Amino acid sequence: MTTTVVRRIGRFLLPLATSLILLLVIWTLFLRLFPQIGPRVGKTPSDVWAYLVTSAGAPTARQAIFDDLLITLGDAASGFVVGMLGAIGVAALFVLYSAVRQTFMPVAMLLRSVPLVALSPIVVLIFGRGTAGVTVLAAIVVFFPALVMIMTGLSEAPRQAMELVTAYGGTRWTRLRMVAVPAALPSVFAAARVSVPGALIGALLGEWLGSGTGLGASLVRAIPMFQYNRLWASIVVVTVVSVLLYAIVGVIENVVLARFGPSAGS
């Protein structure tokens, strides 16, 4: 790994670390500014740390949250893969065939404007309350933003390079594979970074409204059962995991783009 790549990764990770520290500060200040929340409901970072690490019941509490987290990560991963693959395929069709784009892009934007909570009963009715339904909900959250970003990247391929491939007898699919896809790599990775937290949100919502398993369901159950320690700890865990996954995708992005991106070698 070259020095340039290490510097790019460092520049990417530093704002994330700063954001996490800032979140801790905002969290602490929020509880101080609103004392009416009370220590029974509002848990501080030290309370969450004690619940997960230092208290006598920490191993049991931690294991329960991590068991639910594994279910949520599986749901989010399947939704992420389905949503990203669908977005890449549809974006390629939209870029290659303008008639398809003009016909179906308004439909896609119309569906995007429908709140996910409103779509959830229909998705559950069609796909059931199991993994399939949660996967579809997570994929919906991933699909639409990724579609727009990837389609924009594919559309901005260098015109001269596209014309050169055409001059040598290349088809539109050849132009897509040899020119548009490499040029769109930054957009694909940007879509992937945005989609990782989105997939987690979709999975949590699907578990809450559909499967009744995973962190999404346990978060909702914790409120009427007055399990505020578990509620705050679960939120912290899923937030940290979301940031870590975002960071992992960003590191992979910097490594890949340094070698294969449009500005590779510059």
Side-chain angles (χ1 to χ4, degrees):
M1 189 177 295
T2 65
T3 305
T4 303
V5 177
V6 173
R7 288 176 180 171
R8 289 181 60 169
I9 293 173
R11 287 196 300 267
F12 170 75
L13 292 179
L14 182 59
L16 285 180
T18 305
S19 298
L20 283 175
I21 296 172
L22 184 60
L23 278 175
L24 288 174
V25 173
I26 293 173
W27 177 4
T28 303
L29 289 177
F30 175 80
L31 293 177
R32 289 181 179 273
L33 290 174
F34 297 94
Q36 63 268 30
I37 295 176
R40 177 172 173 79
V41 176
K43 302 301 178 181
T44 64
S46 59
D47 293 331
V48 172
W49 178 262
Y51 180 76
L52 290 175
V53 180
T54 60
S55 67
T60 302
R62 189 168 59 243
Q63 186 62 47
I65 291 177
F66 286 172
D67 287 344
D68 288 332
L69 177 64
L70 287 177
I71 298 174
T72 300
L73 286 177
D75 294 334
S78 57
F80 175 82
V81 171
V82 172
M84 283 296 296
L85 290 179
I88 293 171
V90 173
L93 286 176
F94 281 3
V95 169
L96 290 174
Y97 303 102
S98 59
V100 176
R101 181 179 69 250
Q102 293 169 1
T103 302
F104 291 101
M105 192 63 178
V107 178
M109 293 301 99
L110 180 63
L111 290 175
R112 177 67 183 90
S113 65
V114 178
L116 194 60
V117 175
L119 285 176
S120 299
I122 300 174
V123 172
V124 170
L125 182 64
I126 296 174
F127 296 96
R129 293 183 173 274
T131 303
V134 179
T135 298
V136 170
L137 287 172
I140 290 173
V141 177
V142 170
F143 175 80
F144 291 105
L147 171 63
V148 174
M149 298 175 72
I150 295 171
M151 191 172 66
T152 301
L154 292 174
S155 300
E156 293 176 349
R159 184 176 297 275
Q160 291 182 341
M162 299 283 278
E163 292 174 350
L164 180 62
V165 174
T166 302
Y168 279 91
T171 65
R172 62 179 68 189
W173 287 101
T174 305
R175 296 197 302 268
L176 179 75
R177 177 174 56 85
M178 297 185 66
V179 180
V181 170
L185 276 178
S187 297
V188 173
F189 275 110
R193 278 190 283 110
V194 172
S195 297
V196 165
L200 276 173
I201 293 172
L204 290 170
L205 183 61
E207 290 166 351
W208 168 37
L209 298 174
S211 68
T213 60
L215 272 180
S218 66
L219 282 169
V220 178
R221 288 196 298 265
I223 297 174
M225 297 176 67
F226 306 106
Q227 297 176 339
Y228 296 114
N229 277 314
R230 179 166 183 171
L231 176 66
W232 284 83
S234 298
I235 293 173
V236 169
V237 168
V238 76
T239 301
V240 171
V241 168
S242 179
V243 172
L244 286 176
L245 293 176
Y246 181 93
I248 290 171
V249 175
V251 170
I252 296 173
E253 173 187 9
N254 280 279
V255 173
V256 172
L257 293 185
R259 184 169 182 179
F260 301 107
S263 61
S266 60

Short mmCIF file of all heavy atoms in Angstrom, two decimals, residues 107-172:
data_model
loop_
_atom_site.label_atom_id
_atom_site.label_comp_id
_atom_site.label_asym_id
_atom_site.label_seq_id
_atom_site.Cartn_x
_atom_site.Cartn_y
_atom_site.Cartn_z
N VAL A 107 -41.73 6.51 -12.79
CA VAL A 107 -42.34 5.52 -11.91
C VAL A 107 -41.45 5.27 -10.70
O VAL A 107 -41.91 5.19 -9.56
CB VAL A 107 -42.61 4.21 -12.67
CG1 VAL A 107 -43.19 3.16 -11.73
CG2 VAL A 107 -43.54 4.44 -13.84
N ALA A 108 -40.14 5.16 -10.96
CA ALA A 108 -39.20 4.94 -9.86
C ALA A 108 -39.21 6.10 -8.88
O ALA A 108 -39.21 5.90 -7.66
CB ALA A 108 -37.79 4.73 -10.42
N MET A 109 -39.24 7.32 -9.40
CA MET A 109 -39.26 8.49 -8.52
C MET A 109 -40.57 8.59 -7.74
O MET A 109 -40.60 9.02 -6.59
CB MET A 109 -39.03 9.76 -9.33
CG MET A 109 -37.64 9.87 -9.94
SD MET A 109 -36.31 9.85 -8.69
CE MET A 109 -35.78 8.13 -8.75
N LEU A 110 -41.67 8.17 -8.37
CA LEU A 110 -42.95 8.17 -7.69
C LEU A 110 -42.95 7.16 -6.53
O LEU A 110 -43.41 7.46 -5.42
CB LEU A 110 -44.08 7.84 -8.67
CG LEU A 110 -45.50 7.80 -8.10
CD1 LEU A 110 -45.90 9.17 -7.56
CD2 LEU A 110 -46.49 7.33 -9.16
N LEU A 111 -42.40 5.98 -6.78
CA LEU A 111 -42.31 4.98 -5.72
C LEU A 111 -41.39 5.45 -4.61
O LEU A 111 -41.61 5.16 -3.44
CB LEU A 111 -41.81 3.65 -6.30
CG LEU A 111 -42.78 2.91 -7.22
CD1 LEU A 111 -42.11 1.68 -7.82
CD2 LEU A 111 -44.04 2.49 -6.45
N ARG A 112 -40.34 6.19 -5.00
CA ARG A 112 -39.39 6.69 -3.99
C ARG A 112 -40.06 7.67 -3.05
O ARG A 112 -39.68 7.79 -1.89
CB ARG A 112 -38.20 7.35 -4.70
CG ARG A 112 -37.18 7.98 -3.77
CD ARG A 112 -36.47 6.90 -2.97
NE ARG A 112 -35.53 7.46 -2.02
CZ ARG A 112 -35.80 7.79 -0.77
NH1 ARG A 112 -37.03 7.64 -0.32
NH2 ARG A 112 -34.88 8.26 0.03
N SER A 113 -41.06 8.40 -3.53
CA SER A 113 -41.72 9.40 -2.71
C SER A 113 -42.70 8.80 -1.70
O SER A 113 -43.14 9.49 -0.79
CB SER A 113 -42.46 10.40 -3.60
OG SER A 113 -43.52 9.77 -4.29
N VAL A 114 -43.02 7.52 -1.87
CA VAL A 114 -43.95 6.86 -0.95
C VAL A 114 -43.21 6.50 0.34
O VAL A 114 -42.15 5.86 0.27
CB VAL A 114 -44.55 5.59 -1.57
CG1 VAL A 114 -45.49 4.90 -0.59
CG2 VAL A 114 -45.29 5.93 -2.86
N PRO A 115 -43.69 6.90 1.51
CA PRO A 115 -43.00 6.56 2.77
C PRO A 115 -42.87 5.05 2.93
O PRO A 115 -43.78 4.29 2.60
CB PRO A 115 -43.91 7.16 3.85
CG PRO A 115 -44.69 8.22 3.15
CD PRO A 115 -44.89 7.73 1.75
N LEU A 116 -41.72 4.63 3.45
CA LEU A 116 -41.47 3.20 3.61
C LEU A 116 -42.46 2.56 4.57
O LEU A 116 -42.83 1.40 4.42
CB LEU A 116 -40.04 2.98 4.10
CG LEU A 116 -39.50 1.55 4.02
CD1 LEU A 116 -39.51 1.06 2.59
CD2 LEU A 116 -38.09 1.48 4.60
N VAL A 117 -42.90 3.33 5.57
CA VAL A 117 -43.87 2.80 6.52
C VAL A 117 -45.18 2.45 5.81
O VAL A 117 -45.86 1.48 6.16
CB VAL A 117 -44.12 3.82 7.65
CG1 VAL A 117 -45.22 3.33 8.59
CG2 VAL A 117 -42.84 4.05 8.44
N ALA A 118 -45.52 3.24 4.78
CA ALA A 118 -46.74 2.96 4.03
C ALA A 118 -46.58 1.74 3.13
O ALA A 118 -47.55 1.01 2.89
CB ALA A 118 -47.13 4.18 3.20
N LEU A 119 -45.36 1.52 2.62
CA LEU A 119 -45.11 0.36 1.77
C LEU A 119 -44.97 -0.94 2.57
O LEU A 119 -45.20 -2.02 2.02
CB LEU A 119 -43.83 0.57 0.96
CG LEU A 119 -43.89 1.54 -0.22
CD1 LEU A 119 -42.51 1.69 -0.84
CD2 LEU A 119 -44.89 1.05 -1.27
N SER A 120 -44.60 -0.81 3.83
CA SER A 120 -44.29 -2.00 4.63
C SER A 120 -45.43 -3.01 4.69
O SER A 120 -45.20 -4.22 4.51
CB SER A 120 -43.88 -1.58 6.05
OG SER A 120 -42.73 -0.79 6.01
N PRO A 121 -46.70 -2.60 4.94
CA PRO A 121 -47.76 -3.61 4.98
C PRO A 121 -47.92 -4.37 3.67
O PRO A 121 -48.19 -5.57 3.66
CB PRO A 121 -49.02 -2.77 5.30
CG PRO A 121 -48.50 -1.54 5.95
CD PRO A 121 -47.19 -1.25 5.29
N ILE A 122 -47.72 -3.66 2.53
CA ILE A 122 -47.83 -4.33 1.23
C ILE A 122 -46.69 -5.32 1.05
O ILE A 122 -46.90 -6.45 0.58
CB ILE A 122 -47.82 -3.28 0.10
CG1 ILE A 122 -48.99 -2.31 0.28
CG2 ILE A 122 -47.89 -3.96 -1.26
CD1 ILE A 122 -48.99 -1.16 -0.70
N VAL A 123 -45.48 -4.91 1.42
CA VAL A 123 -44.32 -5.80 1.30
C VAL A 123 -44.50 -7.03 2.18
O VAL A 123 -44.23 -8.17 1.76
CB VAL A 123 -43.03 -5.04 1.68
CG1 VAL A 123 -41.85 -6.00 1.75
CG2 VAL A 123 -42.76 -3.94 0.66
N VAL A 124 -44.95 -6.82 3.42
CA VAL A 124 -45.17 -7.95 4.33
C VAL A 124 -46.25 -8.87 3.80
O VAL A 124 -46.15 -10.10 3.89
CB VAL A 124 -45.53 -7.43 5.74
CG1 VAL A 124 -45.99 -8.57 6.64
CG2 VAL A 124 -44.34 -6.71 6.36
N LEU A 125 -47.30 -8.30 3.20
CA LEU A 125 -48.39 -9.11 2.66
C LEU A 125 -47.90 -9.98 1.50
O LEU A 125 -48.30 -11.14 1.37
CB LEU A 125 -49.52 -8.20 2.18
CG LEU A 125 -50.77 -8.89 1.61
CD1 LEU A 125 -51.46 -9.71 2.69
CD2 LEU A 125 -51.72 -7.86 1.02
N ILE A 126 -47.01 -9.43 0.67
CA ILE A 126 -46.53 -10.17 -0.50
C ILE A 126 -45.42 -11.15 -0.13
O ILE A 126 -45.44 -12.33 -0.55
CB ILE A 126 -46.02 -9.19 -1.58
CG1 ILE A 126 -47.18 -8.31 -2.08
CG2 ILE A 126 -45.40 -9.95 -2.75
CD1 ILE A 126 -46.75 -7.22 -3.03
N PHE A 127 -44.46 -10.70 0.66
CA PHE A 127 -43.27 -11.51 0.91
C PHE A 127 -43.26 -12.18 2.28
O PHE A 127 -42.35 -12.95 2.60
CB PHE A 127 -42.01 -10.65 0.78
CG PHE A 127 -41.79 -10.12 -0.61
CD1 PHE A 127 -42.21 -8.84 -0.95
CD2 PHE A 127 -41.19 -10.90 -1.58
CE1 PHE A 127 -42.02 -8.34 -2.23
CE2 PHE A 127 -40.98 -10.41 -2.86
CZ PHE A 127 -41.41 -9.14 -3.19
N GLY A 128 -44.25 -11.88 3.11
CA GLY A 128 -44.32 -12.50 4.42
C GLY A 128 -43.50 -11.76 5.47
O GLY A 128 -42.85 -10.75 5.19
N ARG A 129 -43.55 -12.27 6.69
CA ARG A 129 -42.88 -11.62 7.82
C ARG A 129 -41.49 -12.17 8.10
O ARG A 129 -40.89 -11.83 9.10
CB ARG A 129 -43.74 -11.78 9.08
CG ARG A 129 -45.05 -11.03 9.03
CD ARG A 129 -45.83 -11.16 10.33
NE ARG A 129 -47.00 -10.30 10.33
CZ ARG A 129 -47.01 -9.03 10.71
NH1 ARG A 129 -45.88 -8.47 11.13
NH2 ARG A 129 -48.10 -8.30 10.66
N GLY A 130 -40.97 -12.99 7.21
CA GLY A 130 -39.65 -13.57 7.42
C GLY A 130 -38.54 -12.73 6.82
O GLY A 130 -38.67 -11.52 6.61
N THR A 131 -37.44 -13.41 6.53
CA THR A 131 -36.25 -12.73 6.01
C THR A 131 -36.52 -12.06 4.67
O THR A 131 -35.98 -10.98 4.38
CB THR A 131 -35.11 -13.74 5.87
OG1 THR A 131 -34.86 -14.35 7.14
CG2 THR A 131 -33.84 -13.06 5.39
N ALA A 132 -37.35 -12.68 3.84
CA ALA A 132 -37.60 -12.12 2.50
C ALA A 132 -38.22 -10.73 2.59
O ALA A 132 -37.82 -9.81 1.87
CB ALA A 132 -38.51 -13.06 1.71
N GLY A 133 -39.20 -10.58 3.47
CA GLY A 133 -39.84 -9.27 3.61
C GLY A 133 -38.89 -8.21 4.11
O GLY A 133 -38.88 -7.07 3.62
N VAL A 134 -38.06 -8.55 5.09
CA VAL A 134 -37.08 -7.60 5.63
C VAL A 134 -36.04 -7.24 4.56
O VAL A 134 -35.64 -6.08 4.43
CB VAL A 134 -36.40 -8.17 6.88
CG1 VAL A 134 -35.36 -7.19 7.43
CG2 VAL A 134 -37.43 -8.49 7.96
N THR A 135 -35.62 -8.25 3.79
CA THR A 135 -34.65 -8.01 2.72
C THR A 135 -35.21 -7.03 1.69
O THR A 135 -34.50 -6.11 1.24
CB THR A 135 -34.29 -9.33 2.03
OG1 THR A 135 -33.66 -10.20 2.97
CG2 THR A 135 -33.34 -9.09 0.85
N VAL A 136 -36.47 -7.19 1.32
CA VAL A 136 -37.08 -6.30 0.34
C VAL A 136 -37.13 -4.86 0.88
O VAL A 136 -36.82 -3.90 0.16
CB VAL A 136 -38.48 -6.79 -0.04
CG1 VAL A 136 -39.23 -5.75 -0.87
CG2 VAL A 136 -38.39 -8.10 -0.80
N LEU A 137 -37.51 -4.70 2.13
CA LEU A 137 -37.58 -3.36 2.71
C LEU A 137 -36.19 -2.71 2.76
O LEU A 137 -36.04 -1.53 2.43
CB LEU A 137 -38.18 -3.42 4.11
CG LEU A 137 -39.69 -3.69 4.18
CD1 LEU A 137 -40.13 -3.93 5.62
CD2 LEU A 137 -40.46 -2.52 3.58
N ALA A 138 -35.18 -3.47 3.15
CA ALA A 138 -33.82 -2.92 3.17
C ALA A 138 -33.35 -2.61 1.76
O ALA A 138 -32.68 -1.59 1.52
CB ALA A 138 -32.86 -3.91 3.84
N ALA A 139 -33.69 -3.47 0.80
CA ALA A 139 -33.29 -3.24 -0.59
C ALA A 139 -33.94 -1.99 -1.17
O ALA A 139 -33.33 -1.27 -1.97
CB ALA A 139 -33.63 -4.46 -1.44
N ILE A 140 -35.18 -1.72 -0.77
CA ILE A 140 -35.87 -0.52 -1.26
C ILE A 140 -35.14 0.74 -0.78
O ILE A 140 -34.95 1.70 -1.55
CB ILE A 140 -37.33 -0.51 -0.78
CG1 ILE A 140 -38.13 -1.59 -1.51
CG2 ILE A 140 -37.97 0.86 -1.01
CD1 ILE A 140 -39.55 -1.77 -0.98
N VAL A 141 -34.70 0.74 0.47
CA VAL A 141 -33.97 1.89 1.01
C VAL A 141 -32.66 2.09 0.23
O VAL A 141 -32.26 3.23 -0.05
CB VAL A 141 -33.69 1.70 2.51
CG1 VAL A 141 -32.85 2.86 3.05
CG2 VAL A 141 -35.00 1.60 3.29
N VAL A 142 -32.01 0.99 -0.13
CA VAL A 142 -30.73 1.06 -0.84
C VAL A 142 -30.93 1.45 -2.30
O VAL A 142 -30.17 2.25 -2.86
CB VAL A 142 -30.00 -0.30 -0.74
CG1 VAL A 142 -28.79 -0.34 -1.66
CG2 VAL A 142 -29.58 -0.57 0.70
N PHE A 143 -31.95 0.90 -2.93
CA PHE A 143 -32.08 0.94 -4.39
C PHE A 143 -32.18 2.35 -4.96
O PHE A 143 -31.41 2.71 -5.86
CB PHE A 143 -33.30 0.11 -4.81
CG PHE A 143 -33.59 0.17 -6.29
CD1 PHE A 143 -32.87 -0.61 -7.17
CD2 PHE A 143 -34.57 1.01 -6.78
CE1 PHE A 143 -33.12 -0.56 -8.54
CE2 PHE A 143 -34.85 1.07 -8.14
CZ PHE A 143 -34.11 0.28 -9.02
N PHE A 144 -33.08 3.16 -4.46
CA PHE A 144 -33.39 4.43 -5.13
C PHE A 144 -32.24 5.44 -5.07
O PHE A 144 -31.88 6.03 -6.10
CB PHE A 144 -34.69 5.00 -4.57
CG PHE A 144 -35.89 4.19 -4.95
CD1 PHE A 144 -36.51 3.36 -4.03
CD2 PHE A 144 -36.41 4.23 -6.23
CE1 PHE A 144 -37.62 2.60 -4.37
CE2 PHE A 144 -37.52 3.48 -6.59
CZ PHE A 144 -38.13 2.67 -5.65
N PRO A 145 -31.63 5.69 -3.90
CA PRO A 145 -30.48 6.62 -3.93
C PRO A 145 -29.33 6.08 -4.76
O PRO A 145 -28.67 6.84 -5.48
CB PRO A 145 -30.10 6.73 -2.44
CG PRO A 145 -31.31 6.30 -1.68
CD PRO A 145 -31.97 5.27 -2.53
N ALA A 146 -29.08 4.77 -4.66
CA ALA A 146 -27.98 4.18 -5.44
C ALA A 146 -28.26 4.29 -6.93
O ALA A 146 -27.35 4.54 -7.73
CB ALA A 146 -27.78 2.72 -5.03
N LEU A 147 -29.50 4.10 -7.33
CA LEU A 147 -29.86 4.18 -8.76
C LEU A 147 -29.50 5.56 -9.32
O LEU A 147 -28.88 5.66 -10.39
CB LEU A 147 -31.35 3.91 -8.92
CG LEU A 147 -31.94 4.18 -10.32
CD1 LEU A 147 -31.31 3.24 -11.35
CD2 LEU A 147 -33.46 4.00 -10.30
N VAL A 148 -29.89 6.61 -8.63
CA VAL A 148 -29.64 7.96 -9.12
C VAL A 148 -28.14 8.24 -9.19
O VAL A 148 -27.62 8.78 -10.19
CB VAL A 148 -30.33 9.00 -8.22
CG1 VAL A 148 -29.97 10.41 -8.62
CG2 VAL A 148 -31.85 8.81 -8.27
N MET A 149 -27.39 7.86 -8.16
CA MET A 149 -25.96 8.15 -8.12
C MET A 149 -25.21 7.35 -9.19
O MET A 149 -24.33 7.89 -9.88
CB MET A 149 -25.41 7.84 -6.72
CG MET A 149 -26.02 8.69 -5.62
SD MET A 149 -25.48 8.24 -3.96
CE MET A 149 -23.80 8.82 -4.01
N ILE A 150 -25.54 6.07 -9.34
CA ILE A 150 -24.84 5.24 -10.32
C ILE A 150 -25.19 5.67 -11.74
O ILE A 150 -24.33 5.72 -12.62
CB ILE A 150 -25.18 3.75 -10.09
CG1 ILE A 150 -24.63 3.29 -8.73
CG2 ILE A 150 -24.59 2.88 -11.20
CD1 ILE A 150 -25.08 1.92 -8.32
N MET A 151 -26.45 5.99 -11.98
CA MET A 151 -26.86 6.43 -13.31
C MET A 151 -26.14 7.72 -13.68
O MET A 151 -25.72 7.91 -14.83
CB MET A 151 -28.37 6.62 -13.35
CG MET A 151 -28.91 6.82 -14.76
SD MET A 151 -30.71 6.82 -14.78
CE MET A 151 -31.06 8.28 -13.84
N THR A 152 -25.99 8.63 -12.72
CA THR A 152 -25.25 9.87 -12.98
C THR A 152 -23.80 9.57 -13.33
O THR A 152 -23.24 10.15 -14.27
CB THR A 152 -25.32 10.79 -11.75
OG1 THR A 152 -26.68 11.09 -11.45
CG2 THR A 152 -24.56 12.07 -11.99
N GLY A 153 -23.18 8.65 -12.60
CA GLY A 153 -21.79 8.29 -12.89
C GLY A 153 -21.63 7.66 -14.27
O GLY A 153 -20.69 7.99 -15.00
N LEU A 154 -22.56 6.77 -14.64
CA LEU A 154 -22.49 6.14 -15.95
C LEU A 154 -22.71 7.16 -17.07
O LEU A 154 -22.11 7.06 -18.14
CB LEU A 154 -23.52 5.02 -16.06
CG LEU A 154 -23.29 3.78 -15.19
CD1 LEU A 154 -24.47 2.83 -15.28
CD2 LEU A 154 -22.00 3.07 -15.61
N SER A 155 -23.56 8.13 -16.82
CA SER A 155 -23.88 9.12 -17.85
C SER A 155 -22.73 10.10 -18.08
O SER A 155 -22.68 10.75 -19.14
CB SER A 155 -25.14 9.90 -17.45
OG SER A 155 -26.24 9.04 -17.30
N GLU A 156 -21.83 10.22 -17.12
CA GLU A 156 -20.74 11.19 -17.23
C GLU A 156 -19.46 10.58 -17.77
O GLU A 156 -18.38 11.14 -17.60
CB GLU A 156 -20.48 11.83 -15.87
CG GLU A 156 -21.63 12.71 -15.38
CD GLU A 156 -21.40 13.27 -13.99
OE1 GLU A 156 -20.44 12.81 -13.33
OE2 GLU A 156 -22.17 14.16 -13.58
N ALA A 157 -19.57 9.43 -18.45
CA ALA A 157 -18.39 8.81 -19.06
C ALA A 157 -17.82 9.73 -20.13
O ALA A 157 -18.56 10.43 -20.83
CB ALA A 157 -18.77 7.46 -19.67
N PRO A 158 -16.49 9.77 -20.30
CA PRO A 158 -15.87 10.66 -21.29
C PRO A 158 -16.41 10.40 -22.70
O PRO A 158 -16.36 9.27 -23.19
CB PRO A 158 -14.38 10.33 -21.19
CG PRO A 158 -14.21 9.74 -19.83
CD PRO A 158 -15.49 9.02 -19.53
N ARG A 159 -16.91 11.41 -23.34
CA ARG A 159 -17.52 11.26 -24.67
C ARG A 159 -16.48 10.82 -25.70
O ARG A 159 -16.78 9.99 -26.57
CB ARG A 159 -18.16 12.57 -25.09
CG ARG A 159 -18.90 12.50 -26.42
CD ARG A 159 -19.58 13.82 -26.72
NE ARG A 159 -20.60 14.10 -25.73
CZ ARG A 159 -21.84 13.63 -25.79
NH1 ARG A 159 -22.20 12.85 -26.79
NH2 ARG A 159 -22.71 13.95 -24.85
N GLN A 160 -15.28 11.36 -25.64
CA GLN A 160 -14.26 10.99 -26.63
C GLN A 160 -13.91 9.51 -26.54
O GLN A 160 -13.73 8.84 -27.57
CB GLN A 160 -13.01 11.85 -26.42
CG GLN A 160 -13.20 13.31 -26.79
CD GLN A 160 -11.93 14.11 -26.61
OE1 GLN A 160 -11.02 13.68 -25.90
NE2 GLN A 160 -11.86 15.28 -27.23
N ALA A 161 -13.81 8.99 -25.32
CA ALA A 161 -13.51 7.57 -25.16
C ALA A 161 -14.66 6.72 -25.69
O ALA A 161 -14.43 5.67 -26.32
CB ALA A 161 -13.24 7.26 -23.69
N MET A 162 -15.89 7.14 -25.44
CA MET A 162 -17.05 6.41 -25.95
C MET A 162 -17.04 6.39 -27.48
O MET A 162 -17.30 5.36 -28.11
CB MET A 162 -18.33 7.05 -25.44
CG MET A 162 -18.48 7.06 -23.92
SD MET A 162 -18.96 5.47 -23.23
CE MET A 162 -20.73 5.53 -23.49
N GLU A 163 -16.72 7.54 -28.09
CA GLU A 163 -16.69 7.61 -29.55
C GLU A 163 -15.56 6.78 -30.12
O GLU A 163 -15.70 6.20 -31.21
CB GLU A 163 -16.56 9.07 -29.98
CG GLU A 163 -17.79 9.91 -29.66
CD GLU A 163 -17.58 11.39 -29.97
OE1 GLU A 163 -16.41 11.77 -30.25
OE2 GLU A 163 -18.57 12.16 -29.92
N LEU A 164 -14.45 6.69 -29.41
CA LEU A 164 -13.33 5.88 -29.88
C LEU A 164 -13.71 4.40 -29.92
O LEU A 164 -13.39 3.69 -30.89
CB LEU A 164 -12.13 6.09 -28.96
CG LEU A 164 -10.86 5.30 -29.33
CD1 LEU A 164 -10.35 5.72 -30.70
CD2 LEU A 164 -9.78 5.50 -28.26
N VAL A 165 -14.39 3.92 -28.87
CA VAL A 165 -14.84 2.52 -28.86
C VAL A 165 -15.82 2.27 -30.01
O VAL A 165 -15.76 1.24 -30.69
CB VAL A 165 -15.49 2.18 -27.50
CG1 VAL A 165 -16.10 0.78 -27.54
CG2 VAL A 165 -14.47 2.28 -26.38
N THR A 166 -16.71 3.23 -30.26
CA THR A 166 -17.65 3.09 -31.35
C THR A 166 -16.93 3.05 -32.70
O THR A 166 -17.29 2.27 -33.59
CB THR A 166 -18.65 4.27 -31.35
OG1 THR A 166 -19.32 4.31 -30.10
CG2 THR A 166 -19.67 4.13 -32.46
N ALA A 167 -15.89 3.86 -32.85
CA ALA A 167 -15.13 3.89 -34.11
C ALA A 167 -14.46 2.56 -34.40
O ALA A 167 -14.28 2.19 -35.57
CB ALA A 167 -14.09 5.01 -34.05
N TYR A 168 -14.11 1.82 -33.36
CA TYR A 168 -13.49 0.52 -33.55
C TYR A 168 -14.52 -0.62 -33.59
O TYR A 168 -14.17 -1.79 -33.48
CB TYR A 168 -12.47 0.25 -32.44
CG TYR A 168 -11.14 0.91 -32.67
CD1 TYR A 168 -10.88 2.17 -32.17
CD2 TYR A 168 -10.15 0.28 -33.42
CE1 TYR A 168 -9.67 2.80 -32.38
CE2 TYR A 168 -8.92 0.88 -33.64
CZ TYR A 168 -8.69 2.14 -33.12
OH TYR A 168 -7.48 2.75 -33.35
N GLY A 169 -15.79 -0.25 -33.74
CA GLY A 169 -16.84 -1.25 -33.91
C GLY A 169 -17.45 -1.77 -32.62
O GLY A 169 -18.17 -2.78 -32.64
N GLY A 170 -17.20 -1.09 -31.52
CA GLY A 170 -17.76 -1.54 -30.25
C GLY A 170 -19.25 -1.25 -30.14
O GLY A 170 -19.74 -0.25 -30.64
N THR A 171 -19.97 -2.16 -29.51
CA THR A 171 -21.40 -1.97 -29.30
C THR A 171 -21.63 -1.09 -28.08
O THR A 171 -20.70 -0.71 -27.36
CB THR A 171 -22.09 -3.33 -29.08
OG1 THR A 171 -21.60 -3.91 -27.86
CG2 THR A 171 -21.81 -4.28 -30.23
N ARG A 172 -22.90 -0.76 -27.85
CA ARG A 172 -23.22 0.06 -26.68
C ARG A 172 -22.86 -0.66 -25.38
O ARG A 172 -22.47 -0.01 -24.40
CB ARG A 172 -24.70 0.45 -26.69
CG ARG A 172 -25.66 -0.72 -26.62
CD ARG A 172 -27.11 -0.24 -26.62
NE ARG A 172 -27.48 0.35 -27.91
CZ ARG A 172 -28.63 1.00 -28.12
NH1 ARG A 172 -29.49 1.14 -27.14
NH2 ARG A 172 -28.91 1.48 -29.31
#
